[in-house]
Each structure stands twice: as C-alpha cells, then as structure tokens.
Amino acid sequence: MKNRLKVLRAERDWSQQELANRLGVSRQSVNAIETGKYDPSLPLAFKIADVFGLIIEDIFEKE
C-alpha cells in the first residue's frame, strides 16, 4: 500500500520519533509504514489520519 506519511510528516517538520510518540508506536513502526514494509492496522490507520487531520484515503492508497 502506498502512503504519503513521509511527505505529511516533513510538511510539519516532525521527526519519525515525534510522529511515533504522537501515535503511541515505535519509531521503527513509523519507518516501516513509510517505506511500505508494513501496512498499519485499521485502528492505527485511523489514528494516523486523526493526527494529521485527514481521512485515511488522503494518506493511504492502493497500489
């Protein structure tokens, strides 16, 4: 699954660790999602969308 997580994070000048802290996950989890090595669970995807004030479809897309 493709995502815009890295771009959205950079627009806010957040480090991976800062985003991880906001989401309650590890920095490694954020990195794995950004690089497409891990697809987040639905609850985590909703949490990510909430942190950025967007809907899930604005962040994640099918490949």
Side-chain angles (χ1 to χ4, degrees):
M1 179 172 10
K2 293 182 183 180
N3 68 74
R4 298 180 48 228
L5 198 58
K6 187 173 183 176
V7 171
L8 293 169
R9 184 176 57 76
E11 288 174 353
R12 288 155 180 80
D13 200 29
W14 294 346
S15 66
Q16 286 184 342
Q17 185 62 60
E18 186 170 354
L19 178 57
N21 292 345
R22 291 171 183 262
L23 296 171
V25 300
S26 70
R27 184 202 58 78
Q28 291 86 351
S29 294
V30 170
N31 181 270
I33 295 168
E34 283 185 0
T35 59
K37 295 178 182 170
Y38 172 74
D39 291 334
S41 65
L42 191 54
L44 180 54
F46 274 109
K47 199 173 209 181
I48 292 168
D50 286 344
V51 164
F52 288 108
L54 299 169
I55 61 172
I56 291 174
E57 292 85 353
D58 288 341
I59 302 170
F60 300 96
E61 60 185 60
K62 293 185 230 175
E63 291 188 74

